[in-house]
Amino acid sequence: PAQLSAECSRLVERRFITERQLSAVELPAIARLLTSRLGERIRNSTRVLREYRFSVPIPARAVDPSVDDRFADEAVVLQGAVDCLFEEDGKLFIVDFKTDRVKNMDQLREKYAAQLELYALAVTRTLECPVGGKILYSLHLGEEINV
């Protein structure tokens, strides 16, 4: 957290982002995340993966339970990227950071629970490690919720 300003300068200096892009970043929201309980858990983790990309075949019914029974077991390819994975006690925890302007965390849970279930399926299959939890973090509210 103390190095946030220096990291922003480094990103601009190394041309990962422009000054204009940096001006759109809500630094207080990021600082709040870094000093939160979740931020502490991530920092103390023995293993952290950022932007973990996956591509995994799953049954069509996992994506859409209403799919016709004839096609329910057909494989579809699920591709995506998990914002953050961290390990605690031999289990992986999925973190999905959201910027939605919501009034409460239940709105995020309702909107993104199915997505996180699919992420958990993909992570379990690709990393062969149990998922210990799925967490949504609202940068807007500065809060987390387990899904």
Side-chain angles (χ1 to χ4, degrees):
Q3 299 168 352
L4 182 58
S5 179
E7 177 62 10
C8 289
S9 297
R10 185 190 74 81
L11 291 172
V12 171
E13 183 179 298
R14 304 251 342 249
R15 296 186 176 170
F16 287 108
I17 62 173
T18 66
E19 286 282 352
R20 184 173 181 205
Q21 290 168 322
L22 177 60
S23 70
V25 175
E26 295 181 27
L27 294 177
I30 294 173
R32 190 170 52 227
L33 163 65
L34 294 173
T35 57
S36 72
R37 179 177 156 274
L38 178 60
E40 183 179 341
R41 288 177 69 192
I42 294 169
R43 280 194 313 280
N44 291 332
S45 175
T46 57
R47 178 179 174 196
V48 178
L49 301 171
R50 295 176 298 174
E51 289 297 321
Y52 175 73
R53 299 193 185 290
F54 60 83
S55 180
V56 61
I58 61 170
R61 81 164 69 90
V63 176
D64 182 359
S66 69
V67 73
D68 188 294
D69 286 342
R70 295 174 296 164
F71 308 109
D73 292 322
E74 291 292 319
V76 296
V77 176
L78 176 65
Q79 293 182 317
V82 177
D83 291 340
C84 180
L85 289 165
F86 68 94
E87 188 172 341
E88 274 182 348
D89 301 322
K91 295 179 183 172
L92 290 172
F93 289 79
I94 296 170
V95 182
D96 199 15
F97 301 108
K98 296 299 181 189
T99 58
D100 304 46
R101 301 279 181 189
V102 294
K103 294 180 181 179
N104 61 62
M105 293 302 291
D106 289 330
Q107 290 177 301
L108 285 181
R109 183 188 338 217
E110 184 176 319
K111 187 173 180 180
Y112 294 106
Q115 174 188 345
L116 288 182
E117 287 299 323
L118 292 171
Y119 281 10
L121 178 62
V123 165
T124 300
R125 287 191 180 180
T126 58
L127 295 176
E128 299 177 348
C129 186
V131 171
K134 302 171 294 287
I135 304 163
L136 287 168
Y137 183 87
S138 169
L139 289 158
H140 173 68
L141 297 174
E143 297 176 19
E144 67 180 81
I145 192 167
N146 292 308
V147 177

